[in-house]
Amino acid sequence: MALRTIRVMGDEILTKKSKEITEMTPKIKQLIDDMFETLYNADGVGLAAVQVGILKRLIVIDLGEDEEPLVLINPKIVERSGEQKGNEGCLSVPGKTGVVTRPNYVKVVYLDENMQPQEKEGTELLARAICHEVDHLEGEIYVDKVEGDLMDVKQEED
Ligand code: NI
């Protein structure tokens, strides 16, 4: 496993649309492992492949606690309902946070790391993370959806 460099806002690749994955390869397996390592190292909850410079429709999410780590290949949100308003951040926009309204529930269909079709329902933080990461695959960053100002994350004082 290896850490990958996280691209930050201003890097043009983050505005590009990612391409579908048609087959699992050793290279993509390696990418998935590296994305988890990069995610944990950065203390994040989700990462899209484009954020490490690879324009493939691949997302990893790990909310910790009760949820299993998720690998979502070619994810498609097929149902959404309700509404939640809350703070969002992004590893590609370090030190910033802003309020975004998202559906409170989504159902996503996707392929797992064995290229098997799966579906997953998520509410609250999981729904928010799925929407945020799927946006990355379309070249969208949450800052364009922020209501009000993008704010600085307050540093915790020791
Ligand atoms: Ni993000």
Side-chain angles (χ1 to χ4, degrees):
M1 299 221 288
L3 287 178
R4 306 260 180 147
T5 303
I6 298 177
R7 306 297 184 96
V8 296
M9 201 169 62
D11 189 321
E12 202 183 314
I13 200 166
L14 292 171
T15 65
K16 295 191 171 157
K17 199 170 162 164
S18 295
K19 294 193 174 66
E20 297 227 320
I21 292 174
T22 53
E23 59 172 345
M24 185 48 59
T25 63
K27 236 177 145 172
I28 294 174
K29 282 204 172 89
Q30 182 67 55
L31 174 61
I32 293 168
D33 286 349
D34 290 353
M35 283 172 65
F36 273 115
E37 189 178 355
T38 304
L39 177 70
Y40 297 140
N41 181 66
D43 210 15
V45 296
L47 192 67
V50 62
Q51 292 181 273
V52 294
I54 309 286
L55 283 169
K56 292 189 186 303
R57 300 184 83 81
L58 164 63
I59 288 167
V60 298
I61 292 174
D62 192 342
L63 301 183
E65 299 184 1
D66 306 332
E67 292 281 347
E68 293 287 300
L70 283 173
V71 176
L72 308 174
I73 295 169
N74 304 339
K76 229 174 238 135
I77 295 171
V78 293
E79 280 180 38
R80 55 189 88 211
S81 66
E83 202 178 274
Q84 57 172 318
K85 205 182 269 278
N87 280 314
E88 214 159 289
C90 179
L91 295 177
S92 293
V93 192
K96 300 286 180 184
T97 184
V99 174
V100 182
T101 300
R102 299 284 190 184
N104 199 47
Y105 162 91
V106 297
K107 184 197 276 185
V108 62
V109 296
Y110 61 97
L111 302 175
D112 64 20
E113 58 269 54
N114 300 311
M115 299 299 277
Q116 295 304 303
Q118 303 288 347
E119 67 173 51
K120 175 95 185 163
E121 294 175 293
T123 59
E124 298 177 19
L125 183 57
L126 182 55
R128 177 177 294 283
I130 290 169
C131 292
H132 177 113
E133 299 308 331
V134 168
D135 279 354
H136 275 300
L137 304 184
E138 297 302 316
E140 295 168 12
I141 304 181
Y142 85 99
V143 294
D144 294 324
K145 298 185 172 173
V146 164
E147 297 151 38
D149 295 327
L150 197 60
M151 294 169 288
D152 291 325
V153 176
K154 291 196 186 79
Q155 296 297 318
E156 283 174 38
E157 286 173 36
D158 290 343

